[in-house]
Amino acid sequence: MVFNVLTIFPDMFEGILRNSILKRAIEKELIKVNLVNIRDYSKDKHKKTDDYPYGGGYGMVMMVQPIYDAINAVKSFKNTPVFYMGPKGKKFDQKKAIELSKYDEIIILCGHYEGIDERVYSLIDEEISMGDFILTGGEIAAMAVIDSVSRLIHGVLPQDESFIDESFYCGLLEYPQYTRPEIFNGMEVPKVLLSGNHAEITKWRRQKSLETTLKLRPDLLDRKYLSEQDIEYLKKLGYSDI
């Protein structure tokens, strides 16, 4: 999968792309991250990409021309979807990550300052937000999208089951995890995890996922993700809104 990232700060991505899972995925050619410097498309002799807003007001606005030309250059006659990391978009979640992972190639536009010239939206397919908080720019949000989507691409993780068990993939928060030592400061690993009984371990993990989700994020509990056994267990826990 190809991620084309349009940004005025490409160096911000160097750390995440040179480490851990993404580094290995790039080396295996499972993903490609094409960093496009929007400044390279500026027609200003000083390579400016921002200017004062018409009508006055605080801050600067990213200019239409450099972004417009950068997007068109990357598209190069391909119908590559453009996603803008901005505050007015729908919140990014695991469902959206799965949706994006189905593409062979996408363009991610990183906003900055007070945003982009409204005319850029004529080339944008969808705006995506990380949540109701303020970031310096879209680069941090773009990194999160790349990392999240890459994990869903076959071969990036050692086993596909690695992401299937993670929080949010199946609509629930992940179950508790333990590793050595078996006992630490009097706190023991649950006996079922040491039993070798995989059926019981699977059952325990599912129930713990349900308990954790009910306690921390009951808004995630959706009947379409739940089995009849799940519903019965939630009722035993005192949850009836299902």
Side-chain angles (χ1 to χ4, degrees), residues 3 16 20-22 142-152 156:
F3 299 91
I16 189 173
S20 190
I21 292 172
L22 292 183
M143 291 179 202
V145 169
I146 293 170
D147 186 80
S148 178
V149 173
S150 294
R151 298 174 69 85
L152 299 171
V156 170

Side-chain angles (χ1 to χ4, degrees), residues 82-97:
V82 180
F83 298 94
Y84 169 51
M85 307 308 303
K88 295 185 289 187
K90 292 183 179 179
K91 290 183 183 178
F92 184 75
D93 57 15
Q94 190 67 15
K95 181 180 179 181
K96 176 57 68 174

Side-chain angles (χ1 to χ4, degrees), residues 28-45:
K28 292 179 181 179
E29 299 184 350
L30 297 172
I31 68 169
K32 178 180 180 181
V33 181
N34 179 31
L35 298 173
V36 179
N37 193 334
I38 297 172
R39 298 184 194 276
D40 292 341
Y41 293 88
S42 174
K43 294 181 179 179
D44 178 82
K45 65 178 181 179

Side-chain angles (χ1 to χ4, degrees), residues 88-118:
K88 295 185 289 187
K90 292 183 179 179
K91 290 183 183 178
F92 184 75
D93 57 15
Q94 190 67 15
K95 181 180 179 181
K96 176 57 68 174
I98 295 171
E99 178 185 324
L100 295 184
S101 72
K102 307 300 182 184
Y103 289 103
D104 294 325
E105 184 171 353
I106 64 173
I107 296 172
I108 302 176
L109 172 61
C110 302
H112 241 277
Y113 310 118
E114 296 306 303
I116 59 175
D117 187 300
E118 188 70 17

